[in-house]
Amino acid sequence: MKKNLFKALLFVSVIALLAGCSKQTTGDTDTTTEPVANTNPVFTYAIPSDTGNTLNPLTADDRFGLMTTHLAFSPMYFLYPDGHIEYILADSFEASEDGLTYTLKLKEGLKWSDGQPITADDIIFTYQTHNDRSENLFIAGKPIELEKVDDLTVLFKLPAVSASVIETLSAEVSILPKHYFENRNSFDINMLEETVVGSGPYVLSEYKTGQYLKFDKNPNYSLGEPSIETIILKIIENNDTASLALQNGEVDVWVGVPDLLGPFEGNANYVINNYSEGRVAYLRLNPNTEAMKDKEYRKGILYALDRGDIMKAGYTDENFYKLSYSFLPPSNMYYTEDVEKWTQDIDKAKELTANGPKKVKICFIEDNSVITNQALIVQNQLANIGIEAELVGVNQAAYMSIAYDKTNTEYDIFFGGYVMGVDPEVFAPLFVSTTDNMIMYNNKEIDALFAKGNITLDQSERMEIYKEVQRLVSEEAIFYPFGSNLRTLVTSARVEGIEDAQLVPIYTFGDWGKLKLK
């Protein structure tokens, strides 16, 4: 009974990746571009922006900060998009018959990268710290209670049955070393001056501002010592430069863009992987500004837009994206298009914005060519209804600071994109007023529906609940999704073990420790 309940909860919280969205291609013949032979034992990954010198494993929320955290820290277990669980620090995590208590058993002999033992105290410290800072891990408005049984056993006592608890407690939470953090005043780690103590496959050994992050393998990694000695995340902001670096053998991995894939297509020296992350690209209107406080004006702004043109501007080829109309990606089993789509209507847009401001300010990440191109299209679409849009590009770190400042009144519109997970409950921190509320909604009906959906196990009932959530979110005229894009990972053919490491959202590889070099 216990295992069946575990499987039932897992079933309702996980679905497989969208069929056909993960594809690997290699060439049978070489093109005229000949790569420079790379015999360097170091694995180098080109990233487009600096993470900044501060790492906070508790609050990291940008892609490369999360990637750094994933390399250096481990969760109890990792839930893959196809639904299977890989236990990392945990040996098992089993539900009671009533679904209200989960028993965590840690593996024996676990050590932090500094050699200190990993125990139940670290698990309890981590989750209590999260609960002290936010309600993101709460169920039915209450925190999960943790009880230590012994050094390797912790009881997780839920205030109510939760359909999403397996996903919520997985990779969402990196386990923190209590002995390292308990006497500090902050969870921020200065990577230029301080040692990062973790339990991931790699240990951060060096950081050079604007240049690279260097990681050495962690011999204490719970899944076995990694094959590759050193991994470098090399900061290359320009895609043309990164593409050339891959061709010249300076890097092994680059996240490609459609219009620069020519040298790698049909070339046996490279491997191209197109896969879905369940990413949602969007813009959001800032209800803090005087212009966007008026819902009718917000509606007018959205009626001016055409998501098809916006996505085409960013990704060029329709094979690399799919239009969508909800905060859930189209691959999600709960996704519905029975929402207000805000289909472009220029006359209605002009009417609704006639008495409002004629100038707005848009913030976006300047080193992302896809978003830059999309911002230019939006600027043009707003000009068609007589609104002048000032485009302000900032770097990744500045954007994260500005866009999620709930007091910001400088920018009317923000471009963004996220990868949240599978179960609809994990999207709650975007919209629920008692959680992070990253999109800045304050709708009590939306709050209540998210809470109800998480404690409902009947799948047909959950479907109806989340359809209503999607409808209400759209009608607020704050959040405007464009669609979901595929991610294109181009690697040198000398990189092996990708199938074992598994391509996953955000982190690129589920387990970097399984990668190998020829």
Side-chain angles (χ1 to χ4, degrees):
M1 178 68 179
K2 180 162 54 180
K3 290 185 177 179
N4 287 339
L5 178 61
F6 182 93
K7 290 178 180 178
L9 289 174
L10 183 59
F11 175 75
V12 296
S13 66
V14 182
I15 62 171
L17 282 174
L18 182 63
C21 276
S22 181
K23 179 175 66 176
Q24 186 181 88
T25 61
T26 59
D28 295 322
T29 58
D30 292 344
T31 66
T32 55
T33 301
E34 293 292 338
V36 175
N38 188 349
T39 59
N40 190 338
V42 176
F43 175 89
T44 304
Y45 186 127
I47 64 173
S49 61
D50 199 339
T51 60
N53 70 330
T54 300
L55 174 67
N56 188 320
L58 198 65
T59 62
D61 53 11
D62 66 286
R63 181 183 290 273
F64 302 111
L66 287 167
M67 187 183 291
T68 299
T69 301
H70 186 65
L71 278 161
F73 295 87
S74 291
M76 297 188 301
Y77 54 84
F78 192 86
L79 180 63
Y80 282 88
D82 64 3
H84 85 274
I85 286 178
E86 181 170 48
Y87 288 104
I88 301 178
L89 300 181
D91 189 53
S92 63
F93 190 61
E94 295 187 339
S96 61
E97 291 188 5
D98 61 7
L100 292 174
T101 300
Y102 281 76
T103 300
L104 166 71
K105 288 284 188 180
L106 286 172
K107 294 176 181 177
E108 294 185 5
L110 295 175
K111 294 181 180 180
W112 294 103
S113 56
D114 64 359
Q116 293 293 311
I118 300 174
T119 71
D121 293 329
D122 297 305
I123 303 296
I124 293 172
F125 173 76
T126 298
Y127 284 95
Q128 286 183 340
T129 299
H130 275 276
N131 290 338
D132 289 344
R133 295 174 63 93
S134 77
E135 296 185 11
N136 289 353
L137 303 181
F138 282 29
I139 296 171
K142 297 179 181 179
I144 297 172
E145 294 183 4
L146 289 90
E147 178 183 322
K148 179 180 177 179
V149 177
D150 55 45
D151 281 347
L152 298 180
T153 310
V154 178
L155 300 181
F156 286 71
K157 297 182 177 181
L158 280 59
V161 173
S162 168
S164 66
V165 66
I166 299 299
E167 184 169 5
T168 300
L169 299 180
S170 63
E172 297 295 310
V173 182
S174 296
I175 303 304
L176 306 174
K178 180 181 179 180
H179 71 279
Y180 182 86
F181 284 111
E182 65 177 339
N183 294 320
R184 295 168 59 104
N185 295 322
S186 170
F187 287 88
D188 291 336
I189 305 170
N190 187 320
M191 297 190 298
L192 290 170
E193 302 173 357
E194 299 179 275
T195 300
V196 178
V197 176
S199 59
Y202 286 85
V203 179
L204 181 69
S205 58
E206 187 178 8
Y207 165 72
K208 291 287 187 181
T209 304
Q211 299 180 48
Y212 62 83
L213 294 87
K214 179 184 176 185
F215 300 82
D216 294 328
K217 67 180 181 180
N218 178 11
N220 294 328
Y221 182 46
S222 66
L223 298 183
E225 191 171 329
S227 172
I228 298 174
E229 292 282 341
T230 301
I231 285 178
I232 289 179
L233 303 184
K234 186 174 183 178
I235 301 159
I236 306 177
E237 295 183 352
N238 182 275
N239 270 316
D240 292 283
T241 305
S243 172
L244 288 173
L246 180 57
Q247 295 173 57
N248 294 334
E250 297 171 24
V251 303
D252 298 289
V253 180
W254 165 61
V255 179
V257 292
D259 56 348
L260 294 178
L261 294 179
F264 311 105
E265 294 175 324
N267 189 328
N269 296 297
Y270 304 97
V271 178
I272 299 176
N273 290 275
N274 291 320
Y275 68 103
S276 172
E277 291 190 292
R279 182 178 184 270
V280 174
Y282 68 91
L283 66 73
R284 66 177 177 88
L285 310 183
N286 182 2
N288 287 336
T289 67
E290 286 302 318
M292 299 303 172
K293 286 179 180 177
D294 182 355
K295 187 174 181 179
E296 295 304 301
Y297 182 83
R298 298 200 305 263
K299 289 179 179 179
I301 293 292
L302 298 190
Y303 277 127
L305 307 178
D306 184 319
R307 59 172 48 84
D309 288 344
I310 294 170
M311 285 298 279
K312 189 171 183 180
Y315 296 99
T316 310
D317 188 333
E318 293 182 5
N319 290 320
F320 288 93
Y321 66 86
K322 182 179 180 65
L323 299 183
S324 62
Y325 306 91
S326 163
F327 66 83
L328 296 176
S331 57
N332 193 289
M333 68 186 298
Y334 294 91
Y335 172 82
T336 181
E337 294 189 358
D338 186 17
V339 298
E340 174 58 69
K341 297 181 176 69
W342 304 108
T343 302
Q344 189 180 55
D345 186 327
I346 298 299
D347 290 338
K348 190 177 290 186
K350 288 181 177 178
E351 176 187 343
L352 292 172
T353 60
N355 297 320
K358 299 304 177 186
K359 291 184 179 182
V360 295
K361 199 170 183 180
I362 301 178
C363 182
F364 65 99
I365 300 173
E366 63 184 350
D367 53 16
N368 187 311
S369 61
V370 168
I371 295 178
T372 300
N373 291 338
Q374 291 177 330
L376 289 168
I377 289 295
V378 169
Q379 183 184 49
N380 183 63
Q381 291 175 349
L382 292 179
N384 290 336
I385 64 168
I387 293 179
E388 178 186 343
E390 178 187 354
L391 301 183
V392 181
V394 299
N395 63 34
Q396 174 85 28
Y399 176 87
M400 297 306 293
S401 175
I402 296 168
Y404 299 113
D405 175 4
K406 293 182 177 61
T407 65
N408 183 279
T409 57
E410 182 178 0
Y411 297 98
D412 301 289
I413 299 174
F414 293 97
F415 274 80
Y418 57 72
V419 179
M420 296 298 292
V422 177
D423 193 275
E425 173 60 21
V426 303
F427 293 78
L430 295 172
F431 306 103
V432 173
S433 62
T434 56
T435 62
D436 286 347
N437 193 15
M438 298 169 73
I439 309 297
M440 290 191 283
Y441 276 59
N442 287 286
N443 185 314
K444 296 303 180 184
E445 191 174 359
I446 289 174
D447 293 352
L449 284 169
F450 265 113
K452 182 179 179 181
N454 192 32
I455 61 174
T456 301
L457 298 185
D458 182 272
Q459 189 155 312
S460 60
E461 290 183 32
R462 291 194 91 211
M463 285 283 190
E464 293 306 311
I465 290 169
Y466 288 114
K467 281 182 181 179
E468 181 66 5
V469 174
Q470 291 170 80
R471 184 185 67 79
L472 289 174
V473 165
S474 181
E475 289 180 357
E476 284 291 311
I478 291 175
F479 177 82
Y480 180 83
F482 310 143
S484 184
N485 59 282
L486 295 183
R487 195 168 195 237
T488 300
L489 193 75
V490 187
T491 68
S492 163
R494 84 186 190 112
V495 179
E496 296 182 323
I498 291 178
E499 185 174 344
D500 292 331
Q502 297 192 58
L503 293 171
V504 298
I506 297 292
Y507 313 117
T508 305
F509 304 110
D511 185 355
W512 289 65
K514 292 185 173 71
L515 294 172
K516 298 178 181 178
L517 295 176
K518 291 181 181 178

